[in-house]
C-alpha cells in the first residue's frame, strides 16, 4: 500500500520537515455527555506507526475517546491534533471501526458494496470506483479472509463476518490512523487471528493503530504500548511499565485482586463470553 | 388486433396523460427506494397532505396551483428538518405536528371558498387526463432535475442512509444531505399531485420500491427495477382506467399493488412461497440434522 494521498494535509501546506509531529496528540482533552464528564483531562501522544492497546473497565470512556478522535463527539475542553493540525482541518485519514455497527443490515448491499465505501472519501464522491479501487477492495477482503463472501448480501452474514467486513472497509480506506473499538469481542479465533495478523502488517507499514480491548492478556502480549483509561488517563507505556498492581488497582478498583507480588487477577463481569477472572 | 393499444393514443389528452403518468411513475419509484429503505413512508404521506394549504392559497390568489404546492412542500420539508435537528422532538413527532397543522390550515382555507368542489377532488385523487402540455413540460423539467440530483449524489445519499457514522468520519455534510433528500421528495410529490393526487402519492412512492426490494440484491438494481415497475403500473393503470372508466390514479396504484403481491408471494429468496418451499426442502433433505444455519 502507498499513502501518497494521505501523507500531507490536503488543505494546508506541508509542515516544515525539521520536526516530525506526533501522529496523534491529545492535550488536556475532556469530553462530556450533557454536562456529565466521561473523560477528563486526558493528554497523551502516539508517535508515528505505533500500535496501542486501550484498556479499562466498562464505562471507562474507551468508546468515548475513539468517538472524540474521529470528531463524532465535541470536546468540552482541550485539543486533538492529527499530523500537528486540529481535527477537520485536513483529510484526517482516520479509519474507525465502531464497537457495534449501527447500520441497517437489511439494506440491499453486497459485502463488496460496503467495503468499496471505504474508497469514497479518497476519490471524490462523484466518480465510480476505478480498477485500482477494486483491487484495493479485493485485497482488503482477502486479508480479512472474506473474499469468498464478496457478492453475498450483508443481511446474510454472521456477526463475526459482519465485523470482518467493517475491518476490511477500514483497510480499504488506507488509513494513517486506525481506530478499532473492541474488534475481538464476540469473534472466533480465526477472525481474531485475522485481525491480529492485519495489525502486524499495518504496523510494518507504519500505520498508527489504537485498539480497545477487555483482554488484558492480549494487550500485554501482542501490543507494544498500552493505554489504561478510567475516565482519566491512568497509565500509558509498555506493558511492563503499565501492568503494575498500583495501576491496575487504580483503573479497575475493587475488580483488581493482587494475588502475589506482580500477579494480578481482574474480575470484569463483562463481556460475558470471556471468563470472569483473567 | 393491436387497435386496443392504439385507440386511446389517438386522443391528445391520453397521450399527454400517459407521458405524465409514466414520468411520475419512474420518478416516484426511484426516490421511493430511499423512502422504503429509510422507513420514510409516513414522512412521504405527511408531506403530500401538507401541500394542501399551498394549493389553497394559490387558488385564492388565482396563481399557479403547482407553484403554490411546491412552496408549501418546501416549507414543510425544511421545517421538519429544522425541528428534528436539535433532537428535542423525535422526527416522527415533528412530522406529526407539522403535518396535522398544515392539513388543518389547508382545510380552513378551502372551507372559506365556495367553488372548490371540483378542484379539491383533483388535488386529492389526481386528474391525469387534464394534463396540459405546459404541465407536461413542467413535470419533465422538475422530474428530470430530481433524477439528476439522485444520480449525481448517489454515493453521498447511500452512505448517509446506510452508515451515518461513516458519513461523519468522512466529513459528509449529513444534515444538508438529509434536508436535500427531503426537498427532492417534496418536489416529487408536487409533480405527482396531478397524476395520482396527494391521497395516493405515498403508495406510488412506497409500493414499487417495496416490490423491487423483494426482487433485487443491490441498490442500483432495486432502483432500476422500481422504475420499471412504476412505469408499467402507470401504463397499465391508465389503460385500465380508459377501458373500465375508473379513476386513473387509483387504477395505477392498484396495478402497482398487484405487482407487489405477486412479488411478495413468488420472489426468489425473499418471497413467502420460496421460504415455504426452501424450509420444506431442507426438512426432507436433512431430517434430523442441524438444518439451515441462520
Ligand atoms: N450516548 C451517551 N449518552 C450519555 N452518556 C453516555 C453515552 N455514551 C456513553 N456514556 C457514558 O460515558 C461513560 C463512558 O462510556 P464509554 O462507552 O466510552 O465506555 P467504554 O469504556 O467504551 O465501556 P465499554 O467497555 O462498556 O464499551 C459511561 O459512564 C457512559 O455511561
Ligand atoms: Mg465501549
Amino acid at each position: 500500500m502507498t499513502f501518497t494521498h494521505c501523507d500531507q494535509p490536503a488543505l494546508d501546506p506541508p509542515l516544515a520537515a525539521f520536526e516530525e509531529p506526533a501522529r496523534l496528540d491529545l492535550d488536556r482533552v475532556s469530553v462530556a455527555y450533557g454536562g456529565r464528564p466521561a473523560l477528563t483531562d486526558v493528554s497523551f501522544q502516539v508517535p508515528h506507526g505505533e500500535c496501542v492497546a486501550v484498556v479499562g473497565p466498562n464505562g471507562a470512556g474507551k468508546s468515548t475517546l475513539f468517538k472524540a478522535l474521529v470528531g463524532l463527539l465535541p470536546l468540552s475542553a482541550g485539543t486533538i491534533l492529527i499530523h500537528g493540525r486540529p481535527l477537520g482541518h485536513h483529510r484526517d485519514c482516520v479509519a474507525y471501526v465502531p464497537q457495534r455497527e449501527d447500520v441497517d443490515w437489511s439494506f440491499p448491499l453486497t459485502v463488496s458494496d460496503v467495503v468499496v465505501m471505504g474508497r469514497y472519501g479518497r476519490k471524490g464522491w462523484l466518480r465510480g470506483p476505478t480498477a485500482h479501487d477494486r483491487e484495493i477492495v479485493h485485497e482488503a477482503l482477502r486479508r480479512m479472509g472474506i473474499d469468498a463472501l464478496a457478492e453475498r448480501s450483508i443481511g446474510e452474514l454472521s456477526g463475526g463476518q459482519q465485523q470482518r467486513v467493517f475491518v476490511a472497509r477500514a483497510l480499504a480506506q488506507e488509513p494513517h490512523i486506525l481506530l478499532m473499538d473492541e474488534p475481538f469481542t464476540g469473534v472466533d479465533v480465526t477472525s481474531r487471528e485475522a485481525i491480529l495478523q492485519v495489525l502486524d502488517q499495518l504496523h510494518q507499514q507504519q500505520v498508527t493503530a489504537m485498539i480497545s480491548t477487555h483482554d488484558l492478556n492480549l494487550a500485554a502480549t501482542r501490543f507494544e504500548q498500552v493505554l489504561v483509561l478510567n475516565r482519566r488517563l491512568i497509565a500509558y507505556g509498555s506493558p511492563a511499565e503499565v501492568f503494575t498492581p498500583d495501576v491496575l488497582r487504580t483503573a479497575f478498583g475493587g475488580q483488581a485482586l493482587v494475588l502475589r507480588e506482580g500477579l494480578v487477577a481482574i474480575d470484569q463481569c463483562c463481556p460475558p463470553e470471556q471468563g470472569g477472572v483473567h | 388486433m393491436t387497435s386496443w393499444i392504439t385507440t386511446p393514443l389517438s386522443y391528445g389528452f391520453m397521450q399527454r396523460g400517459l407521458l405524465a403518468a409514466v414520468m411520475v411513475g419512474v420518478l416516484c419509484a426511484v426516490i421511493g427506494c430511499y423512502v422504503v429503505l429509510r422507513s420514510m413512508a409516513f414522512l412521504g404521506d405527511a408531506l403530500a397532505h401538507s401541500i394542501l394549504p399551498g394549493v389553497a392559497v394559490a387558488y385564492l390568489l388565482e396563481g399557479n396551483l403547482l407553484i403554490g404546492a411546491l412552496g408549501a412542500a418546501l416549507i414543510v420539508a425544511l421545517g421538519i428538518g429544522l425541528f428534528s435537528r436539535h433532537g428535542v422532538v423525535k422526527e416522527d413527532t415533528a412530522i406529526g405536528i407539522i403535518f396535522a397543522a398544515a392539513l388543518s390550515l389547508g382545510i380552513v382555507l378551502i372551507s372559506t371558498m365556495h367553488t372548490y368542489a371540483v378542484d379539491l377532488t383533483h388535488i386529492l385523487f389526481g386528474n391525469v387526463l387534464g394534463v396540459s402540455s405546459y404541465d407536461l413540460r413542467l413535470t419533465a423539467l422538475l422530474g428530470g432535475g430530481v433524477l439528476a440530483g439522485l444520480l449525481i449524489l448517489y454515493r453521498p445519499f447511500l452512505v448517509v442512509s446506510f452508515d451515518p457514522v461513516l458519513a461523519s468520519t468522512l466529513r459528509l455534510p449529513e444534515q444538508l444531505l438529509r434536508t436535500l433528500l427531503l426537498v427532492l421528495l417534496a418536489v416529487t410529490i408536487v409533480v405527482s399531485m396531478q397524476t395520482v393526487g396527494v391521497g395516493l402519492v405515498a403508495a406510488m412512492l412506497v409500493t414499487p420500491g417495496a416490490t423491487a426490494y423483494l426482487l433485487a440484491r443491490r441498490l442500483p438494481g432495486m432502483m432500476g427495477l422500481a422504475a420499471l415497475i412504476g412505469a408499467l403500473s402507470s401504463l397499465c393503470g391508465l389503460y385500465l382506467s380508459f377501458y373500465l372508466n375508473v379513476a386513473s390514479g387509483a387504477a395505477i396504484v392498484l396495478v402497482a399493488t398487484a405487482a407487489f403481491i405477486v412479488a411478495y408471494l413468488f420472489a426468489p429468496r425473499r418471497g413467502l412461497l420460496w421460504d415455504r418451499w426452501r424450509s420444506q426442502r431442507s426438512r426432507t433433505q436433512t431430517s434430523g440434522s442441524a438444518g439451515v444455519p441462520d
Side-chain angles (χ1 to χ4, degrees):
Chain A
M1 279 199 281
T2 53
F3 295 110
T4 46
H5 198 97
C6 231
D7 278 336
Q8 286 146 11
L11 299 181
D12 300 304
L15 290 167
F18 59 84
E19 192 189 23
E20 167 74 19
R23 290 275 148 169
L24 209 54
D25 190 344
L26 277 77
D27 188 27
R28 277 166 289 148
V29 167
S30 299
V31 183
Y33 291 101
R36 281 189 33 221
L39 284 175
T40 313
D41 225 13
V42 173
S43 303
F44 62 88
Q45 294 188 344
V46 183
H48 189 93
E50 205 139 74
C51 199
V52 182
V54 180
V55 300
N58 289 137
K62 302 182 293 295
S63 300
T64 304
L65 174 68
F66 285 1
K67 286 177 191 157
L69 283 174
V70 283
L72 288 173
L73 286 175
L75 308 184
S76 51
T79 49
I80 295 177
L81 300 181
I82 292 177
H83 300 308
R85 312 224 163 228
L87 282 181
H89 273 231
H90 48 73
R91 239 184 248 275
D92 295 324
C93 302
V94 183
Y96 167 57
V97 183
Q99 183 168 4
R100 232 191 49 247
E101 287 293 344
D102 246 338
V103 303
D104 181 356
W105 293 103
S106 67
F107 236 77
L109 292 171
T110 62
V111 167
S112 55
D113 287 335
V114 172
V115 177
V116 85
M117 287 179 191
R119 306 298 302 161
Y120 285 178
R122 294 195 148 249
K123 58 194 185 59
W125 288 86
L126 307 186
R127 260 174 296 147
T130 61
H132 176 63
D133 291 320
R134 286 184 211 289
E135 199 177 301
I136 285 172
V137 166
H138 183 77
E139 175 66 11
L141 290 169
R142 202 189 53 69
R143 284 167 82 176
M144 292 315 299
I146 48 173
D147 39 353
L149 302 179
E151 297 310 315
R152 193 77 82 76
S153 296
I154 54 167
E156 301 166 359
L157 301 178
S158 75
Q161 290 168 339
Q162 292 174 348
Q163 174 81 328
R164 281 195 268 176
V165 170
F166 281 88
V167 177
R169 186 174 74 184
L171 293 181
Q173 283 180 256
E174 297 190 316
H176 255 180
I177 298 175
L178 175 63
L179 307 175
M180 289 204 269
D181 202 353
E182 299 197 20
F184 304 114
T185 305
V187 301
D188 64 9
V189 182
T190 325
S191 298
R192 176 193 165 103
E193 282 309 314
I195 295 172
L196 282 170
Q197 205 179 349
V198 161
L199 281 178
D200 283 342
Q201 290 168 7
L202 291 178
H203 189 49
Q204 279 157 23
Q205 292 166 333
Q206 301 273 296
V207 174
T208 308
M210 293 185 80
I211 317 293
S212 77
T213 177
H214 283 283
D215 189 340
L216 300 186
N217 212 0
L218 186 80
T221 53
R222 302 290 289 258
F223 290 82
E224 52 187 27
Q225 295 285 306
V226 177
L227 193 140
V228 186
L229 208 63
N230 193 358
R231 303 192 163 249
R232 296 173 170 277
L233 182 70
I234 309 292
Y236 176 42
S238 68
E241 292 167 343
V242 160
F243 287 120
T244 63
D246 264 356
V247 166
L248 293 176
R249 217 179 284 115
T250 317
F252 293 93
Q255 298 172 325
L257 180 68
V258 179
L259 298 174
R260 271 194 323 274
E261 205 48 36
L263 191 60
V264 183
I266 303 229
D267 177 18
Q268 287 183 313
C269 50
C270 312
E273 60 275 336
Q274 297 175 4
V277 176
H278 288 250
Chain B
M1 177 60 204
T2 55
S3 67
W4 66 273
I5 295 178
T6 49
T7 310
L9 295 179
S10 57
Y11 301 99
F13 68 86
M14 260 311 264
Q15 289 173 10
R16 287 192 300 274
L18 267 173
L19 265 178
V22 168
M23 282 196 287
V24 164
V26 170
L27 180 63
C28 283
V30 173
I31 199 169
C33 289
Y34 285 111
V35 175
V36 168
L37 290 174
R38 300 183 52 177
S39 313
M40 303 196 302
F42 177 49
L43 175 61
D45 204 21
L47 261 184
H49 283 87
S50 52
I51 64 183
L52 218 52
V55 176
V57 168
Y59 190 87
L60 282 173
L61 300 178
E62 292 175 10
N64 187 308
L65 299 192
L66 220 52
I67 290 172
L70 195 58
L74 290 181
I75 289 174
V76 169
L78 296 174
I80 291 169
L82 260 179
F83 241 127
S84 53
R85 164 183 295 184
H86 304 295
V88 182
V89 283
K90 286 202 188 121
E91 190 173 68
D92 63 338
T93 310
I95 294 165
I97 293 168
I98 295 178
F99 154 47
L103 184 59
S104 308
L105 185 64
I107 292 172
V108 165
L109 285 173
I110 287 174
S111 62
T112 62
M113 306 173 195
H114 301 291
T115 54
Y116 60 81
V118 175
D119 293 286
L120 190 59
T121 45
H122 284 172
I123 293 161
L124 285 178
F125 301 113
N127 177 29
V128 71
L129 300 183
V131 172
S132 69
S133 53
Y134 170 78
D135 293 332
L136 204 58
R137 279 202 299 276
L138 199 60
T139 302
L141 194 72
L142 291 175
V146 171
L147 284 180
L150 289 176
L151 193 69
I152 292 169
L153 295 175
Y154 171 78
R155 291 184 189 83
F157 279 142
L158 171 60
V159 172
V160 163
S161 306
F162 173 66
D163 193 345
V165 169
L166 181 72
S168 53
T169 60
L170 294 177
R171 312 213 177 281
L172 273 182
E174 236 179 301
Q175 195 62 46
L176 187 70
L177 286 166
R178 232 183 276 275
T179 309
L180 191 61
L181 193 59
L182 278 186
V183 168
L184 293 180
L185 187 61
V187 174
T188 303
I189 287 167
V190 170
V191 169
S192 320
M193 188 174 73
Q194 201 160 25
T195 323
V196 287
V198 298
L200 294 176
V201 63
M204 285 310 285
L205 287 170
V206 171
T207 313
T211 312
Y213 175 76
L214 294 172
L215 298 169
R217 287 168 57 83
R218 304 181 59 220
L219 187 54
M222 176 176 167
M223 286 177 163
L225 213 55
L228 188 70
I229 293 167
L232 286 179
S233 304
S234 294
L235 210 61
C236 299
L238 215 54
Y239 270 99
L240 277 180
S241 92
F242 182 84
Y243 282 111
L244 303 180
N245 198 20
V246 293
S248 49
I252 292 171
V253 169
L254 286 177
V255 172
T257 312
F260 173 77
I261 291 170
V262 170
Y264 184 76
L265 291 177
F266 300 110
R269 294 185 312 118
R270 291 197 172 125
L272 203 64
L273 294 186
W274 176 273
D275 234 30
R276 282 274 156 78
W277 175 72
R278 202 169 41 178
S279 58
Q280 210 154 54
R281 199 183 56 160
S282 71
R283 214 176 303 141
T284 51
Q285 269 181 356
T286 62
S287 48
S289 81
V292 192
D294 274 317

